[in-house]
Amino acid sequence: MSAPISRIVEALEPSATIAMAGKARELKATGRTVCDLSLGEPDFDTPAHIRKAALEAMDSGFTHYTAAGGIVELKTAVVGQYNARHGLDYAPAQVVVSNGAKHALHNAFTVLLNPGDEVIIPAPYWVSYAELVKLTGAVPVIVQTEQAADFKLTPDQLREATTDRTRILLLCSPSNPTGSMYSPEELGELADVVIEKDLVVVADEIYEYLVYEPHQFASFPTVRPGLMDRTILINGVSKTYAMTGWRIGWSLSPLYLAKAMGSLQSQQTSCPCSISQKAAIAALEGPQECIGEMLAEFTRRRQFVIERIASIPGLSCPEMGGAFYAYINIKEHLGRTYGGVQVDDSSAWCLELLNQQNVATVMGSAFGTDGYSRISFATSMENLEAAFDGIEKFIASE
Ligand code: PMP
Ligand code: GLU
């Protein structure tokens, strides 16, 4: 017997970032040497003092269920960090700690959306946003932004895309996949429309620490008064502290939404991992030098990536103000044959690059804009050098 899958789940696209990383892993298992630039996760080990806190948690028996929305010490550390960095005054009860930022996003959409509601998502967008919205029965409204505008949504575009069904604007700055960042002024102009149209903003700030000079990060609720009442902030330890596998992320939101997300989570997952929560406290409250060290290494790699992209004819990318991705425009290299294979779109381009040169990247179509290929430079310099040699050879084989 083959039972029918629910219509909502059947319509779901699997995560392309995770799928490409899976393909790279499969090829590696066959003995091929693959340069994997697909998955966006820091290649560094989680710093030693954070690992030690987890060991201590286990040894002291902190291995049971916790409060559904996370332990008060971690919530207090989160609000302390937002207060110190951005002057935002949240109470610990406004924090919900989840199994990664992805889970926090899912919670946010689930408590706010009904079938038929609309969520405005500027494209290119991170692969999971639209699918998480669809899981609620709501409708992702994709608004194309332009490379010439550094892939940033304009207030006019936002106004035009808003209907009486629009509930949420999704913002991600620094952006995955493009690395582009909104200035405080640009956020302020979007906030004016948000207020005028009475929208909620889900602001994904997971890359807030990974910002390159001279760019400046501004947390969304700081740009206009009153925005805390209509914003759900998403953040976590995955990227900042190289803790992707620990699965700790969180939201900060108005109390009534935090309560709703806490109830939801109590039925979904019971609580986030107790041991990882203790590790996350050590991350937030321990020495912060590890962030600067990782950022210095990302800065070096970013420079290398910018130079290599500029040196290959027909490739370009928007300026990366933050995060660790380059969103490479490959349009001039489509509609050609590579090693006898016709390549017309970004999906075929990325698959042939992987097949022919063992370089794994993610197709722009997965982020809502064809004609691009995303690379993650959260990988070793050696890997990046080999990958760009492969890209160069691939393009020379057209
Ligand atoms: N938001 C963005 C923009 C991301 O790139 C990611 C990638 N992991 C997430 C959220 C999810 O983070 P986590 O691994 O903590 O679930
Ligand atoms: N966010 C990372 C990426 O975009 C990790 C994978 C995922 O969760 O999509 O590659």
Side-chain angles (χ1 to χ4, degrees), residues 11-49:
L12 206 65
E13 292 285 340
S15 163
T17 47
I18 290 176
M20 275 311 268
K23 262 193 215 302
R25 225 174 275 133
E26 272 167 33
L27 285 180
K28 277 185 201 162
T30 67
R32 271 160 72 169
T33 307
V34 176
C35 296
D36 186 4
L37 311 187
S38 62
L39 206 57
E41 66 168 340
D43 53 324
F44 307 110
D45 288 333
T46 302
H49 68 280

Side-chain angles (χ1 to χ4, degrees), residues 97-121:
V97 182
S98 302
N99 298 289
K102 194 183 270 188
H103 182 204
L105 283 158
H106 190 197
N107 284 345
F109 295 139
T110 305
V111 300
L112 277 168
L113 295 170
N114 285 306
D117 287 346
E118 292 178 355
V119 177
I120 296 178
I121 304 179

Side-chain angles (χ1 to χ4, degrees), residues 15 17-18 38-40 102 126-128 176 207 239 325 374:
S15 163
T17 47
I18 290 176
S38 62
L39 206 57
K102 194 183 270 188
W126 176 48
V127 291
S128 294
N176 176 4
Y207 295 104
K239 315 290 171 171
Y325 306 102
R374 188 197 78 172

Side-chain angles (χ1 to χ4, degrees), residues 25 46 123 154 168 179 204 213-214 226 246 258 260 302 314 317 351 379:
R25 225 174 275 133
T46 302
T154 65
I168 299 178
D204 186 343
E213 302 265 345
W246 298 76
R302 171 183 176 271
C317 71
L351 289 173
T379 184

Side-chain angles (χ1 to χ4, degrees), residues 17-18 39-41 98-105 125-129 132 170-177 204-207 234-239 243-250 323-325 374:
T17 47
I18 290 176
L39 206 57
E41 66 168 340
S98 302
N99 298 289
K102 194 183 270 188
H103 182 204
L105 283 158
Y125 53 83
W126 176 48
V127 291
S128 294
Y129 295 141
L132 291 176
L170 187 290
L171 285 178
C172 178
S173 176
S175 151
N176 176 4
D204 186 343
E205 303 193 335
I206 194 144
Y207 295 104
I234 304 291
N235 214 317
V237 289
S238 299
K239 315 290 171 171
M243 290 178 72
T244 45
W246 298 76
R247 308 310 302 133
I248 295 289
W250 50 75
F324 38 58
Y325 306 102
R374 188 197 78 172

Side-chain angles (χ1 to χ4, degrees), residues 147-343:
Q147 185 175 343
D150 264 341
F151 289 118
K152 289 190 256 191
L153 181 74
T154 65
D156 284 344
Q157 283 180 309
L158 175 57
R159 203 172 275 112
E160 271 164 36
T162 308
T163 70
D164 54 7
R165 289 181 303 281
T166 311
R167 298 288 320 276
I168 299 178
L169 166 65
L170 187 290
L171 285 178
C172 178
S173 176
S175 151
N176 176 4
T178 66
S180 72
M181 284 187 69
Y182 291 92
S183 68
E185 294 71 29
E186 287 163 339
L187 287 178
E189 285 166 14
L190 289 175
D192 291 337
V193 183
V194 163
I195 294 165
E196 174 193 322
K197 301 284 184 185
D198 200 19
L199 307 181
V200 171
V201 170
V202 172
D204 186 343
E205 303 193 335
I206 194 144
Y207 295 104
E208 78 156 286
Y209 281 89
L210 301 179
V211 170
Y212 306 102
E213 302 265 345
H215 294 268
Q216 292 279 322
F217 174 82
S219 182
F220 183 72
T222 63
V223 298
R224 289 285 185 273
L227 289 177
M228 275 168 73
D229 293 344
R230 56 171 77 247
T231 302
I232 302 188
L233 289 175
I234 304 291
N235 214 317
V237 289
S238 299
K239 315 290 171 171
T240 313
Y241 300 99
M243 290 178 72
T244 45
W246 298 76
R247 308 310 302 133
I248 295 289
W250 50 75
S251 58
L252 296 105
S253 67
L255 192 58
Y256 72 100
L257 291 177
K259 280 190 179 154
M261 289 189 277
S263 309
L264 172 66
Q265 206 161 276
S266 75
Q267 295 292 15
Q268 271 176 336
T269 61
S270 297
C271 65
C273 168
S274 59
I275 302 156
S276 298
Q277 291 187 67
K278 286 285 188 183
I281 295 174
L284 294 178
E285 295 191 334
Q288 300 295 299
E289 287 76 19
C290 54
I291 302 179
E293 284 158 19
M294 289 190 254
L295 185 60
E297 185 54 31
F298 287 138
T299 306
R300 212 164 69 86
R301 295 172 186 178
R302 171 183 176 271
Q303 194 51 38
F304 172 81
V305 164
I306 289 173
E307 284 164 19
R308 288 296 295 260
I309 292 173
S311 75
I312 303 176
L315 297 189
S316 66
C317 71
E319 155 132 16
M320 301 88 105
F324 38 58
Y325 306 102
Y327 202 55
I328 308 175
N329 183 326
I330 55 167
K331 288 178 188 168
E332 276 192 28
H333 297 285
L334 297 178
R336 316 240 169 133
T337 54
Y338 292 81
V341 181
Q342 179 69 25
V343 165

